[in-house]
Amino acid sequence: MGLIGILINIVDAIGSGRPEPHDAFAALVALGAGGELLKGRRPRAAKALYAVASVLLVVAGSVAGARAWASLFKGTTYDWLDLGLGVLVVLYVAVCAAQLLALCRRALRSRMNAGTLSE
């Protein structure tokens, strides 16, 4: 996959004249693999790659899902895969938001406990 797959998808998107959400898949895989490879040696770079991959996933999935849901409500043809991808992206964002909220609450509790212990 890697760089060749990314280049092929970019050329395909340019050639077709309209980029599609599935054109981002090769870049998503490359970013995830890069994050895994850098996790041990450069954790900050790995986190940055994971963040970029997450944003790319949410954007591509949202575009695909929005198009499919709009087609579903209009009564025109739609792709079941894009429809499912839109649902999965909504669930992914909900889980990420819940994890972030839990992390913030945990940090707040630890600060409050540290403040009461020092008194």
Side-chain angles (χ1 to χ4, degrees), residues 54 58 89-106:
S54 296
V58 169
V89 164
V90 168
L91 292 174
Y92 178 75
V93 169
V95 167
C96 289
Q99 285 180 337
L100 187 61
L101 182 64
L103 183 67
C104 290
R105 283 187 175 181
R106 193 175 319 140

Side-chain angles (χ1 to χ4, degrees), residues 6-63:
I6 293 170
L7 291 175
I8 289 172
N9 277 343
I10 290 171
V11 170
D12 181 44
I14 291 170
S16 68
R18 180 178 169 194
E20 294 292 325
H22 64 268
D23 292 334
F25 180 71
L28 187 65
V29 169
L31 288 168
E36 283 295 317
L37 290 174
L38 291 175
K39 189 171 25 175
R41 292 184 181 194
R42 299 183 186 246
R44 292 177 115 188
K47 285 183 181 181
L49 287 177
Y50 286 138
V52 171
S54 296
V55 169
L56 183 62
L57 173 71
V58 169
V59 169
S62 298
V63 169

Side-chain angles (χ1 to χ4, degrees), residues 75-94:
T76 60
T77 60
Y78 56 90
D79 188 4
W80 280 99
L81 184 62
D82 289 346
L83 198 65
L85 183 62
V87 170
L88 288 175
V89 164
V90 168
L91 292 174
Y92 178 75
V93 169

